[in-house]
Amino acid sequence: MRKQHWPKRDPIKNYFPLPNEIFSLGLSAGAIAVYGFLLHREDRKTYQCVASYRTIGEAVGMSVNTVRKYVAELEDRGLVRTERTTVTTRDGRTLNGCLRYYILPIQMSIEQFYERQLHAADLALERQRAEQRMAALKRKECASGC
């Protein structure tokens, strides 16, 4: 058997980091794919990238409406912030441009995720206490008037 020589990979060239925490935030697979593409396209100094829904959709194999839905999910989770851009044509008309995406620090999103989980747990606990009070009240009414 011949020994194969695989080319060595440059650890920085042609790669981008995808944080491990992204998989613990409860995101859908499509949102992770869109987030990965935005990280791939971002400028590492300004944490920004400019891309249209169509460009993202072609890269990850989704329709424009699906990409829009996943971008909204990423904004809701606090992973990205979008800003509309404008383009001025040669004849002086101003048109809508692509969205500018700001990739936000993932720590903010993780904290927001845990706060939501704690809030949901508090609501569930309060609901359980209310149900227990209602059951006790029904037992008391049934014992006195049934």
Side-chain angles (χ1 to χ4, degrees):
M1 181 181 217
R2 277 183 31 189
K3 184 177 179 183
Q4 292 184 345
H5 294 283
W6 298 99
K8 289 190 175 188
R9 292 188 228 169
D10 185 0
I12 297 177
K13 190 175 181 184
N14 297 324
Y15 294 94
F16 66 95
L18 187 62
N20 292 334
E21 294 86 2
I22 197 74
F23 298 105
S24 63
L25 293 177
L27 292 172
S28 61
I32 292 173
V34 170
Y35 185 71
F37 179 76
L38 293 175
L39 283 178
H40 164 71
R41 294 282 300 263
E42 85 170 332
D43 180 2
R44 303 281 188 268
K45 292 182 176 104
T46 63
Y47 305 107
Q48 298 177 18
C49 68
V50 176
S52 67
Y53 290 139
R54 179 177 293 148
T55 302
I56 297 169
E58 289 172 358
V60 297
M62 296 177 189
S63 70
V64 171
N65 287 337
T66 305
V67 170
R68 185 177 290 123
K69 177 179 82 171
Y70 290 132
V71 167
E73 181 180 345
L74 292 172
E75 280 185 301
D76 184 48
R77 297 293 180 94
L79 290 167
V80 298
R81 186 173 53 89
T82 60
E83 179 181 280
R84 298 226 174 259
T85 60
T86 57
V87 177
T88 305
T89 61
R90 290 183 183 173
D91 59 355
R93 293 182 298 145
T94 302
L95 303 174
N96 289 333
C98 300
L99 287 176
R100 176 176 288 122
Y101 298 91
Y102 295 94
I103 311 300
L104 302 175
I106 195 157
Q107 290 80 11
M108 292 171 45
S109 182
I110 292 170
E111 289 173 11
Q112 181 183 25
F113 176 71
Y114 289 142
E115 286 176 11
R116 284 182 181 178
Q117 283 186 325
L118 286 173
H119 183 67
D122 288 342
L123 288 176
L125 181 62
E126 187 64 33
R127 186 176 299 119
Q128 184 181 15
R129 287 179 180 163
E131 288 172 359
Q132 288 174 349
R133 281 187 232 129
M134 292 296 291
L137 184 62
K138 284 183 182 180
R139 281 193 304 266
K140 190 176 186 181
E141 287 177 357
C142 188
S144 64
C146 282

